[in-house]
Amino acid sequence: MSTTIRASQLASSIISPVTEEKQPSVFDIIAQENLATSIRPALQHLVKYLAYFKPKTFLSVHKNFDEYYLLFDLILQNHYLKNYGASFTENFYSMKRVFTKTGSSPNDNRERILSLLTLVGWPYVEDKLNQLHDRLKEVYEIRSWASIHDVKSKCQKMFVVIWPYIKTIIKAVKSVLQLAYILNRSSIHSPWLYFSGVILKHLTPEDLEAFNAVPLHLQTGFFNRIWRFFLGLPGIVSRLFAYGLFFVQFLDYMYNTDLTKLTKTGLSEAIPAPPHKMIIKESEILSLDTNKCPICMKKRVNDTALFVSGYVFCYTCISQYVNTYQKCPVTGCPANVQHLIRLFV
């Protein structure tokens, strides 16, 4: 009888072989990381908007957003690690975490805690350290070591100096691991996966069957596609908001720099003025009729005096000349349109 059972098990394994587990591509990983980094700012913008219109309800949430988000992220990631063996964004892109020692998902509490420390704990600590560095940088960046005497201030000064190097080293290690992952020289793309002791692999049909309830974004059907699109909205909203901020900053730059002159008055002021050429000498002015313009040599229209020299011209003639040459056409004295005086005779 045992021989019959073994034969049936062997036959079933041949008929329905186990699907090979493959690691996700670098494009899947980049998409997953972009979604993971876009959820927090999207929620922060939403809370900020709600606090503006409902300050009594949401102002405290906005002021302590880091702590509220830490609690929310902890509950969310723990739920997905416990039930689906991956973080929320990893599960969204059909990935799972596999422990390198056991080859199984992080079901044990100790294994899950290691993943939570890198998924939830480290981003919170890094954000707080960045905020602390920004505050201390304003105080200690201009102070020399000789002017610091107490131990606390020396530690703060040392942190201001060292923290940027630590971040650079972490980014360098991550870049090296990502390059090695692309070249199939490493099974991990992030140092945090190494500290958690896990690697990422794609979910298999067997994994989906083992779930008590398959998440909506992993199911098929029209409504499930809508749900998947809805979950991807934070990334879209965050990018649109970033583009909007860039556009606002661009407008602010345009209206607060020399480009304003280019947009308001055209290219005439942006292009260097041609070399100044005297239209008429002062000695020749005496031979002109008193009602003629020294520029057009015709009867003046809308008499306008130039303050720096005292000569009178047509308003159109002297205005165009001063805008182009920034000088008096007779004396060559520096001038601008503010030096024009309309004469009403």
Side-chain angles (χ1 to χ4, degrees), residues 63-101:
K63 290 182 178 179
N64 302 286
F65 177 80
D66 292 341
E67 286 67 34
Y68 279 101
Y69 183 79
L70 174 67
L71 180 61
F72 163 77
D73 198 28
L74 180 62
I75 295 173
L76 178 68
Q77 304 300 354
N78 183 66
H79 169 75
Y80 271 83
L81 285 170
K82 185 177 181 180
N83 294 281
Y84 306 113
S87 68
F88 167 71
T89 54
E90 290 166 354
N91 181 261
F92 184 84
Y93 284 96
S94 303
M95 303 179 197
K96 65 177 181 179
R97 292 187 166 218
V98 177
F99 263 86
T100 53
K101 293 182 179 180

Side-chain angles (χ1 to χ4, degrees), residues 131-298:
Q131 294 177 17
L132 177 62
H133 178 267
D134 293 338
R135 290 197 305 269
L136 296 179
K137 185 179 179 181
E138 299 177 358
V139 179
Y140 292 99
E141 191 174 29
I142 58 175
R143 293 183 62 182
S144 62
W145 285 101
S147 63
I148 302 174
H149 304 288
D150 58 300
V151 177
K152 181 180 177 180
S153 298
K154 288 183 178 180
C155 293
Q156 292 176 341
K157 172 71 173 180
M158 187 176 298
F159 170 75
V160 170
V161 175
I162 294 177
W163 177 241
Y165 292 101
I166 295 176
K167 291 199 300 182
T168 302
I169 292 173
I170 293 174
K171 290 180 180 179
V173 172
K174 187 175 181 180
S175 299
V176 171
L177 288 176
Q178 287 178 341
L179 179 61
Y181 186 86
I182 294 173
L183 299 176
N184 293 323
R185 299 293 183 180
S186 173
S187 58
I188 58 173
H189 66 278
S190 169
W192 311 123
L193 290 179
Y194 174 79
F195 292 139
S196 301
V198 298
I199 59 174
L200 294 180
K201 289 190 176 182
H202 270 303
L203 289 172
T204 63
E206 291 80 8
D207 295 322
L208 296 176
E209 292 179 1
F211 292 156
N212 293 329
V214 180
L216 286 176
H217 53 266
L218 295 180
Q219 299 178 12
T220 57
F222 176 74
F223 291 104
N224 305 117
R225 291 179 181 177
I226 295 178
W227 173 246
R228 187 178 179 87
F229 173 76
F230 176 77
L231 292 178
L233 278 179
I236 299 174
V237 173
S238 179
R239 285 178 176 83
L240 290 177
F241 187 81
Y243 297 148
L245 286 179
F246 172 77
F247 182 69
V248 171
Q249 291 175 350
F250 175 75
L251 290 180
D252 180 71
Y253 174 77
M254 287 283 292
Y255 281 96
N256 289 281
T257 60
D258 292 337
L259 289 176
T260 307
K261 296 181 180 179
L262 179 62
T263 57
K264 289 185 177 180
T265 61
L267 294 173
S268 59
E269 293 189 7
I271 300 175
H276 176 258
K277 180 181 179 182
M278 295 293 185
I279 291 180
I280 188 171
K281 296 180 180 180
E282 288 189 77
S283 58
E284 298 175 357
I285 295 290
L286 300 176
S287 62
L288 289 177
D289 293 339
T290 57
N291 61 347
K292 283 190 176 181
C293 172
I295 296 178
C296 66
M297 299 297 179
K298 297 178 182 179

